[in-house]
Amino acid sequence: MITQSVTNLIDQLAKLPGIGRKSAERLTYHLLRVSKSDALALADAIRDVKENVRYCKTCFNLAEADECEICRDPRRDRRILCVVEQPRDLIALESAGTYKGLYHVLLGRIAPLEGISPDQLTIEPLVARVRTGDFKEIIMATNPTLEGDGTALFISHQLSGLPIEITRLARGITTGSVLEFANKEILTDALTGRQKF
Ligand SMILES: [Zn+2]
């Protein structure tokens, strides 16, 4: 006989991506076994993230203040802007360590089949930012998938006519593979070998 609280936790965990019913049950029984403080540390971490983390008002990276640490860092090159789909893509590029410019996080990609249109992304603020900013180069670092390419193309059209060079990451990254899973060497090659869009 499973109690209501246990069932509820299994239901909540089962909603997470990649966690099936069986895994949710396993995690729940694990949490029942560990100490109260260990289990509540997880609950607190979830609460902290939801209460403290927001999107940077400039680049839409994750931040715990109005602006993220990258936007506030005076050592970053403010004339280069790298456009990525998700914060996790930004993290992958940052861990490669070669890129020193700024970012813009789209929070997704244009995906007509899933009903995701340009206005659901941060394309409008991106265009406004580029228009009013002092950028010399915009690097399209959306994923090399059909939708990532389409998104990059759409944005480059929006930015056409501005005196800015638009580049695309080199195809060191195999078509279809995802930025977040690429290793440092591949990401560095993709950045240094970027080509005019
Ligand atoms: Zn930022």
Side-chain angles (χ1 to χ4, degrees):
M1 180 65 193
I2 300 181
T3 74
Q4 188 54 50
S5 304
V6 172
T7 309
N8 185 30
L9 182 54
I10 294 170
D11 288 346
Q12 293 303 322
L13 290 169
K15 287 182 192 169
L16 298 173
I19 309 271
R21 193 85 202 159
K22 275 270 166 291
S23 300
E25 284 172 13
R26 211 160 35 235
L27 288 169
T28 298
Y29 292 118
H30 171 76
L31 288 168
L32 284 167
R33 270 196 312 274
V34 300
S35 71
K36 188 173 179 181
S37 64
D38 277 355
L40 291 182
L42 174 63
D44 288 343
I46 295 171
R47 194 181 305 279
D48 281 354
V49 156
K50 294 313 287 183
E51 282 175 357
N52 299 330
V53 178
R54 63 196 97 161
Y55 292 120
C56 169
K57 71 177 168 64
T58 306
C59 76
F60 298 90
N61 181 22
L62 298 175
E64 298 209 10
D66 277 353
E67 272 199 318
C68 73
E69 285 181 24
I70 293 173
C71 285
R72 287 185 313 201
D73 186 346
R75 291 164 301 180
R76 306 294 297 214
D77 183 346
R78 294 183 176 270
R79 303 203 63 202
I80 308 178
L81 186 64
C82 182
V83 178
V84 296
E85 293 179 22
Q86 298 288 355
R88 58 177 183 259
D89 300 323
L90 179 158
I91 291 164
L93 283 165
E94 279 299 287
S95 69
T98 13
Y99 181 66
K100 296 292 172 225
L102 298 177
Y103 290 95
H104 192 93
V105 183
L106 296 170
L107 300 178
R109 73 263 181 276
I110 303 169
L113 294 176
E114 291 164 47
I116 301 170
S117 56
D119 57 299
Q120 287 165 271
L121 309 178
T122 65
I123 293 176
E124 214 178 282
L126 167 64
V127 173
R129 191 179 172 196
V130 174
R131 275 185 197 285
T132 55
D134 191 24
F135 298 107
K136 64 173 167 49
E137 180 182 354
I138 313 290
I139 304 168
M140 291 295 166
T142 50
N143 281 301
T145 58
L146 205 62
E147 290 168 344
D149 283 340
T151 305
L153 193 66
F154 179 87
I155 293 170
S156 73
H157 283 318
Q158 301 286 304
L159 298 177
S160 68
L162 295 171
I164 295 160
E165 184 166 32
I166 300 174
T167 56
R168 182 87 170 104
L169 285 189
R171 292 292 167 146
I173 300 173
T174 333
T175 299
S177 78
V178 180
L179 235 59
E180 64 174 310
F181 301 122
N183 66 34
K184 282 182 193 183
E185 289 71 30
I186 290 175
L187 285 173
T188 303
D189 286 351
L191 263 170
T192 50
R194 62 188 186 264
Q195 293 141 359
K196 228 174 154 44
F197 195 77

